[in-house]
Amino acid sequence: MHLGNAMRRDHAYIAKAIGFFQDFCELLPQTDSSIIQNMMMAHADALMLTGDVKAGDALFQEVIDRFPNDVWGYIRWGDVYSPGMNHSAGLSDPVKAEKIYRMALGRGLEDEKEVKYRIEDI
């Protein structure tokens, strides 16, 4: 969380963060899956901040492919494009945000209500 906040305040941290997230997942693959998932999502966020939207989207897709039963992959990815949650200048796209959020609906996932709140806020 602190590294994520730092890279939003000072983009000099982005490259360091990307290296850390990649190294962590490669060197410690047996780490608890929730930590790996969070590292992957933070890495995707960092890619978005660099402007490499294609790579960021691909990594978010990998997150939901790998962890399809965890609503937070869909939420974090949708948040990138949601006008109210967007942390990356220039990426606001309410249609794309809603499309991503809706991928999580109807799957019986825990915290699905969080997705519904975000859709209502768009």
Side-chain angles (χ1 to χ4, degrees):
M1 176 182 282
H2 294 293
L3 186 53
N5 292 336
M7 66 183 183
R8 282 180 174 71
R9 282 192 313 271
D10 183 348
H11 285 199
Y13 286 99
I14 296 174
K16 293 174 186 174
I18 289 172
F20 173 75
F21 300 138
Q22 286 176 320
D23 290 347
F24 187 96
C25 291
E26 288 174 15
L27 297 172
L28 302 167
Q30 300 303 320
T31 301
D32 182 86
S33 63
S34 66
I35 294 172
I36 294 293
Q37 179 186 15
N38 279 305
M39 289 291 181
M40 291 174 71
M41 290 187 296
H43 183 184
D45 283 335
L47 290 168
M48 294 297 199
L49 287 171
T50 69
D52 194 348
V53 176
K54 185 175 180 179
D57 280 339
L59 188 50
F60 272 119
Q61 182 65 56
E62 185 179 333
V63 169
I64 63 170
D65 289 345
R66 188 167 170 187
F67 307 99
N69 297 321
D70 190 309
V71 74
W72 290 99
Y74 305 94
I75 290 173
R76 290 272 299 269
W77 189 10
D79 285 355
V80 169
Y81 295 100
S82 180
M85 303 299 288
N86 184 290
H87 299 291
S88 302
L91 291 180
S92 181
D93 184 340
V95 173
K96 189 167 188 173
E98 184 172 346
K99 179 181 175 187
I100 293 166
Y101 290 145
R102 288 194 180 280
M103 292 166 55
L105 297 178
R107 302 171 61 94
L109 303 179
E110 186 176 341
D111 292 330
E112 188 176 285
K113 67 184 180 304
E114 296 296 329
V115 175
K116 292 176 183 176
Y117 295 145
R118 282 169 162 77
I119 291 171
E120 290 171 7
D121 283 344
I122 292 179

